[in-house]
Short mmCIF file of all heavy atoms in Angstrom, two decimals:
data_model
loop_
_atom_site.label_atom_id
_atom_site.label_comp_id
_atom_site.label_asym_id
_atom_site.label_seq_id
_atom_site.Cartn_x
_atom_site.Cartn_y
_atom_site.Cartn_z
N ALA A 330 24.27 -25.58 0.41
CA ALA A 330 24.19 -26.44 -0.79
C ALA A 330 22.88 -26.12 -1.53
O ALA A 330 22.72 -26.65 -2.63
CB ALA A 330 24.22 -27.89 -0.35
N THR A 331 21.93 -25.45 -0.99
CA THR A 331 20.63 -25.15 -1.60
C THR A 331 20.75 -23.80 -2.32
O THR A 331 21.17 -22.81 -1.68
CB THR A 331 19.51 -25.10 -0.62
OG1 THR A 331 19.69 -26.24 0.26
CG2 THR A 331 18.23 -24.97 -1.26
N ALA A 332 20.46 -23.79 -3.58
CA ALA A 332 20.56 -22.52 -4.28
C ALA A 332 19.51 -21.47 -3.81
O ALA A 332 18.36 -21.99 -3.52
CB ALA A 332 20.40 -22.72 -5.83
N PRO A 333 19.82 -20.25 -3.71
CA PRO A 333 18.80 -19.32 -3.23
C PRO A 333 17.81 -18.90 -4.28
O PRO A 333 18.09 -18.77 -5.38
CB PRO A 333 19.64 -18.14 -2.77
CG PRO A 333 20.96 -18.18 -3.71
CD PRO A 333 21.10 -19.66 -4.02
N ALA A 334 16.53 -18.85 -3.81
CA ALA A 334 15.49 -18.22 -4.64
C ALA A 334 15.57 -16.76 -4.62
O ALA A 334 16.47 -16.18 -3.96
CB ALA A 334 14.10 -18.73 -4.16
N GLN A 335 14.70 -16.09 -5.41
CA GLN A 335 14.80 -14.62 -5.42
C GLN A 335 14.58 -14.02 -4.02
O GLN A 335 13.78 -14.48 -3.23
CB GLN A 335 13.62 -14.04 -6.23
CG GLN A 335 13.87 -12.65 -6.82
CD GLN A 335 12.67 -12.19 -7.68
OE1 GLN A 335 11.66 -12.80 -7.69
NE2 GLN A 335 12.83 -11.09 -8.30
N ASN A 336 15.44 -13.03 -3.71
CA ASN A 336 15.37 -12.31 -2.42
C ASN A 336 15.73 -13.17 -1.23
O ASN A 336 15.47 -12.85 -0.10
CB ASN A 336 14.02 -11.69 -2.10
CG ASN A 336 13.75 -10.60 -3.14
OD1 ASN A 336 14.65 -9.95 -3.71
ND2 ASN A 336 12.41 -10.48 -3.46
N GLN A 337 16.45 -14.26 -1.45
CA GLN A 337 16.87 -15.09 -0.38
C GLN A 337 18.43 -14.84 -0.10
O GLN A 337 19.23 -14.57 -0.99
CB GLN A 337 16.75 -16.60 -0.64
CG GLN A 337 15.23 -17.01 -0.65
CD GLN A 337 15.06 -18.48 -0.51
OE1 GLN A 337 15.84 -19.25 -1.10
NE2 GLN A 337 14.00 -18.95 0.11
N GLY A 338 18.73 -15.02 1.17
CA GLY A 338 20.21 -14.82 1.60
C GLY A 338 20.87 -16.17 1.61
O GLY A 338 20.33 -17.05 2.30
N LEU A 339 22.00 -16.37 0.98
CA LEU A 339 22.75 -17.60 0.89
C LEU A 339 23.69 -17.65 2.09
O LEU A 339 24.62 -16.93 2.16
CB LEU A 339 23.50 -17.65 -0.42
CG LEU A 339 24.24 -18.95 -0.73
CD1 LEU A 339 23.35 -20.08 -0.95
CD2 LEU A 339 25.20 -18.73 -2.00
N PRO A 340 23.47 -18.63 3.06
CA PRO A 340 24.42 -18.81 4.19
C PRO A 340 25.84 -19.01 3.67
O PRO A 340 26.07 -19.85 2.81
CB PRO A 340 23.94 -20.02 4.88
CG PRO A 340 22.45 -20.04 4.63
CD PRO A 340 22.27 -19.45 3.15
N THR A 341 26.77 -18.10 4.11
CA THR A 341 28.14 -18.13 3.63
C THR A 341 29.20 -17.97 4.71
O THR A 341 28.98 -17.11 5.58
CB THR A 341 28.33 -16.99 2.62
OG1 THR A 341 27.21 -17.01 1.56
CG2 THR A 341 29.70 -16.98 1.94
N VAL A 342 30.20 -18.75 4.65
CA VAL A 342 31.42 -18.58 5.57
C VAL A 342 32.65 -18.40 4.73
O VAL A 342 32.88 -19.16 3.76
CB VAL A 342 31.56 -19.69 6.56
CG1 VAL A 342 32.85 -19.51 7.35
CG2 VAL A 342 30.40 -19.70 7.58
N ALA A 343 33.36 -17.36 4.99
CA ALA A 343 34.65 -17.13 4.25
C ALA A 343 35.83 -17.15 5.29
O ALA A 343 35.58 -17.30 6.52
CB ALA A 343 34.65 -15.72 3.59
N SER A 344 37.09 -17.08 4.75
CA SER A 344 38.19 -17.14 5.66
C SER A 344 39.31 -16.26 5.13
O SER A 344 39.43 -16.08 3.95
CB SER A 344 38.65 -18.53 5.84
OG SER A 344 39.83 -18.57 6.57
N ALA A 345 40.20 -15.75 5.96
CA ALA A 345 41.34 -14.89 5.57
C ALA A 345 42.29 -14.98 6.76
O ALA A 345 42.01 -15.29 7.87
CB ALA A 345 40.91 -13.50 5.27
N SER A 346 43.53 -14.55 6.35
CA SER A 346 44.55 -14.56 7.43
C SER A 346 44.44 -13.30 8.37
O SER A 346 43.82 -12.33 7.91
CB SER A 346 45.93 -14.52 6.80
OG SER A 346 46.20 -13.25 6.08
N GLY A 347 45.14 -13.30 9.45
CA GLY A 347 45.11 -12.14 10.34
C GLY A 347 45.71 -10.92 9.60
O GLY A 347 45.17 -9.81 9.69
N GLN A 348 46.78 -11.15 8.83
CA GLN A 348 47.41 -10.05 8.13
C GLN A 348 46.54 -9.43 7.10
O GLN A 348 46.55 -8.26 6.97
CB GLN A 348 48.80 -10.63 7.49
CG GLN A 348 49.70 -9.48 7.02
CD GLN A 348 50.09 -8.54 8.12
OE1 GLN A 348 50.58 -8.96 9.25
NE2 GLN A 348 49.87 -7.23 7.97
N ALA A 349 45.77 -10.29 6.37
CA ALA A 349 44.79 -9.84 5.37
C ALA A 349 43.80 -8.89 6.15
O ALA A 349 43.45 -7.83 5.59
CB ALA A 349 44.11 -10.90 4.68
N PHE A 350 43.34 -9.23 7.27
CA PHE A 350 42.37 -8.46 8.00
C PHE A 350 42.95 -7.14 8.33
O PHE A 350 42.33 -6.07 8.16
CB PHE A 350 41.87 -9.18 9.21
CG PHE A 350 40.82 -8.38 9.96
CD1 PHE A 350 39.56 -8.37 9.68
CD2 PHE A 350 41.24 -7.55 11.11
CE1 PHE A 350 38.57 -7.67 10.36
CE2 PHE A 350 40.30 -6.83 11.84
CZ PHE A 350 38.96 -6.82 11.46
N LEU A 351 44.29 -7.22 8.82
CA LEU A 351 44.86 -5.95 9.21
C LEU A 351 45.16 -5.01 8.08
O LEU A 351 45.13 -3.76 8.21
CB LEU A 351 46.21 -6.23 9.92
CG LEU A 351 46.07 -7.01 11.26
CD1 LEU A 351 47.56 -7.43 11.76
CD2 LEU A 351 45.46 -6.10 12.27
N ASP A 352 45.39 -5.61 6.80
CA ASP A 352 45.72 -4.86 5.64
C ASP A 352 44.48 -4.27 4.87
O ASP A 352 44.67 -3.25 4.16
CB ASP A 352 46.49 -5.64 4.61
CG ASP A 352 47.90 -5.94 5.14
OD1 ASP A 352 48.39 -5.26 6.11
OD2 ASP A 352 48.53 -6.89 4.68
#
Side-chain angles (χ1 to χ4, degrees):
T331 312
Q335 202 183 9
N336 296 330
Q337 287 195 329
L339 182 67
T341 307
V342 171
S344 173
S346 68
Q348 194 57 51
F350 181 84
L351 294 171
D352 292 343

